[in-house]
Amino acid sequence: MLTAKERALFDLLLNVAKRHRTNTTLRVVGGWVRDKLLGKHSEDIDLAVDNIKGRDFADLVARTVAAVAPKTPPTKLHAKRNKSKAGGPHSSASAGSCAYTVIASNPRALKHLETARMRLLDTTIDVVSNSRMHAVTQ
């Protein structure tokens, strides 16, 4: 069973996909699913999207949050911003009051997928493209 915060978060993510007509399937994967099945609390969610880059979906989320932010108390919707001067493995983008960080893939560190990281409703969300997962595992 989802908590009220989890329901609000998933509703927001689904509404972003619908609002922007991405026709993408959002899949929650990884440790959050395991923890939920075990009845444990988890502070982060891994989200796989299937026909859009993780950074592009994160940008849509950031833009949507920025559009509704004036109507929402600042403590409810926010994202953490990390900057890299060189743009190297981490680069940031923002839209209004919401930001996300892009972590480049790094196979040497067993980080095979580019990840967009944002923070919403006090939850860290890592977004990766599921279409790239198939290329990595084959």
Side-chain angles (χ1 to χ4, degrees), residues 7-24:
R7 171 57 56 203
L9 181 62
F10 292 136
D11 284 348
L12 171 66
L13 296 171
L14 290 168
N15 285 334
V16 167
K18 184 177 180 180
R19 177 181 183 175
H20 295 282
R21 297 182 179 131
T22 62
N23 294 319
T24 192

Side-chain angles (χ1 to χ4, degrees), residues 2 6 9 11 20 32 36 40 45 50 56-57 67 70-71 75 85 88 90 96 101-102 105-106 122 125 130 135:
L2 297 177
E6 291 166 340
L9 181 62
D11 284 348
H20 295 282
W32 184 89
K36 199 67 171 169
K40 296 181 178 180
I45 296 173
D50 64 355
D56 294 338
F57 187 75
K71 302 171 194 164
T75 57
K85 289 183 182 179
H90 297 75
T101 299
V102 175
S105 64
N106 183 355
D122 297 322
I125 303 170
N130 190 33

Side-chain angles (χ1 to χ4, degrees), residues 58-125:
D59 188 61
L60 294 176
V61 172
R63 291 176 190 282
T64 302
V65 169
V68 300
K71 302 171 194 164
T72 307
T75 57
K76 292 287 184 182
L77 299 173
H78 69 280
K80 188 175 182 180
R81 172 184 256 166
N82 294 320
K83 284 193 175 180
S84 170
K85 289 183 182 179
H90 297 75
S91 60
S92 296
S94 67
S97 63
C98 185
Y100 58 91
T101 299
V102 175
I103 305 166
S105 64
N106 183 355
R108 289 184 181 170
L110 298 176
K111 182 73 177 160
H112 296 284
L113 300 171
E114 176 184 272
T115 304
R117 177 170 288 165
M118 58 177 29
R119 192 148 174 88
L120 293 170
L121 300 176
D122 297 322
T123 304
T124 300
I125 303 170

